[in-house]
Amino acid sequence: MLPEMTDEQRAAALERAQLARRTRAEIKALLQTGSLTFADVLDRAAEDDLVAGTRVKAIVGAMPGMGKITTIRLLEEIGIAENRTLRGMTPRQTKELLERFS
């Protein structure tokens, strides 16, 4: 059961959720245009929890030339679960993705 929230708490939670969605959409758009690299995203993830909580699948899928099928195949090849976040990647997984997108 969900805890009871005051109107102020609910409004603050909605605001945080909107900020998270906006931040993630901005990063994906910058990746698609080539203005941002995968390494840049990892640097941001080290500093920003909203970015660190983004799913690897969403980031890889936003890279130029990566479609849905190619993204899934790459994640399977490296051994990254579809629901893994940037924060949850192992050093080996991070290294392999950096090599792939460098």
Side-chain angles (χ1 to χ4, degrees):
M1 182 171 207
L2 294 174
E4 292 293 322
M5 296 174 73
T6 65
D7 289 342
E8 294 83 19
Q9 289 173 324
R10 189 172 292 107
L14 285 172
E15 194 172 311
R16 284 192 308 272
Q18 287 173 342
L19 176 63
R21 284 191 293 272
R22 214 176 347 206
T23 301
R24 291 173 182 151
E26 175 187 306
I27 286 181
K28 290 194 298 189
L30 290 172
L31 281 170
Q32 289 170 342
T33 62
S35 302
L36 197 64
T37 66
F38 187 74
D40 294 335
V41 173
L42 290 178
D43 291 341
R44 281 193 186 187
E47 301 168 3
D48 187 348
D49 277 343
L50 293 178
V51 177
T54 304
R55 298 201 188 281
V56 176
K57 181 180 177 182
I59 297 297
V60 171
M63 298 296 290
M66 295 296 291
K68 288 182 181 182
I69 301 301
T70 312
T71 298
I72 291 170
R73 286 184 181 155
L74 176 63
L75 294 180
E76 286 175 354
E77 178 185 316
I78 296 175
I80 300 174
E82 287 191 29
N83 62 349
R84 175 75 60 206
T85 61
L86 291 174
R87 177 187 303 121
M89 285 196 307
T90 66
R92 179 193 61 80
Q93 292 168 337
T94 303
K95 180 178 173 257
E96 288 190 37
L97 283 176
L98 280 171
E99 288 173 0
R100 171 70 166 82
F101 293 117
S102 294

